Amino acid sequence: MVFENIITEVKGKVGIITLNRPKALNALNSALISELNAALNAYEADPNIGAIILTGNEKAFAAGADIREMKDKTFDEVTSKNFLHDWDHINTITKPIIAAVSGFALGGGFEYALLSDIIIASETAKFSLPETTIGVIPGLGGTQRLAQAIGKSKAMEMILTGRMIDSSEAERAGIVARVVPTEKLQEEALVLATKIASLSQPVIKAAKKAVLSAYEMPMAQGAVNERTLFHSMFKLHDQKEGMAAFLEKRPPKFENR
């Protein structure tokens, strides 16, 4: 597929999506989201892809939603057409998604990073939800996911003021998994994604589903869900192979079944 707003690439078992609106600092608009969803669906359907990297450029992961596209929309228009309804399609992807963030991740861009499963940030990454400073609030789940990630008080401070934080503070707050030198961001993201993609895809998908249930269910219900998923692993060839390989002190040969 040929895209205008993103670049797609496959390295081994890893699908890579690079946001590519450099003049707009990768600001998100409907055209980009449509292409992004198409690329995500293609990687989701490809049995040879075990993990996905979502990234931008050194200046910006994504500097929010495109204000020019939103500025003149009316209340009736955004409600009747359910504006943003397909912007969180990334939630339907069962394969792990790593956001490799350098430069600005603001507003919708930050929310997209939060929608990913793992965030790796470069030393230059900066995060903010500045929507209140332009007369709106986050609309892609930012109020919910940021509060879950860092707690009510700090999330309130960031959202109510629009304050920007750097990668070091984001790491301390638990927003990002780790911070790496800018020049090594893509390399480190690929190493992580390749490791994940080398494991059994059914097991990795189940693990992702179990972790996400911690945000979607009460603790007791989530624990039951985890146990059910754990039990289901014993239907898999890869469970037998993984445990046999451990006992035989050899690398496992997973077959994704």
Side-chain angles (χ1 to χ4, degrees), residues 76-102:
D76 288 342
E77 184 179 0
V78 297
T79 53
S80 65
K81 296 182 178 179
N82 194 12
F83 181 51
L84 301 185
H85 78 279
D86 59 344
W87 285 45
D88 59 357
H89 177 74
I90 192 172
N91 274 331
T92 69
I93 304 302
T94 63
K95 296 178 180 179
I97 299 173
I98 297 165
V101 178
S102 195

Side-chain angles (χ1 to χ4, degrees), residues 105-212:
L106 312 180
F110 185 13
E111 291 177 286
Y112 244 91
L114 290 170
L115 280 161
S116 302
D117 300 306
I118 301 170
I119 303 175
I120 295 183
S122 82
E123 294 168 329
T124 65
K126 297 182 183 300
F127 302 88
S128 175
L129 291 177
E131 285 87 346
T132 57
T133 68
I134 59 168
V136 291
I137 68 170
L140 270 177
T143 60
Q144 308 303 296
R145 292 185 178 86
L146 187 61
Q148 289 173 341
I150 64 177
K152 172 188 170 183
S153 183
K154 195 171 185 70
M156 279 287 193
E157 182 218 9
M158 288 185 65
I159 292 166
L160 299 187
T161 67
R163 184 172 75 87
M164 186 182 298
I165 64 173
D166 61 18
S167 57
S168 177
E169 185 174 353
E171 184 179 31
R172 293 195 305 271
I175 293 170
V176 306
R178 63 183 132 110
V179 178
V180 301
T182 302
E183 66 274 12
K184 289 186 174 292
L185 177 64
Q186 302 302 326
E187 176 187 339
E188 292 292 333
L190 184 59
V191 168
L192 176 58
T194 299
K195 170 62 178 177
I196 293 170
S198 74
L199 303 174
S200 168
Q201 286 193 38
V203 172
I204 290 297
K205 288 180 179 180
K208 171 175 172 171
K209 185 176 182 180
V211 172
L212 290 177

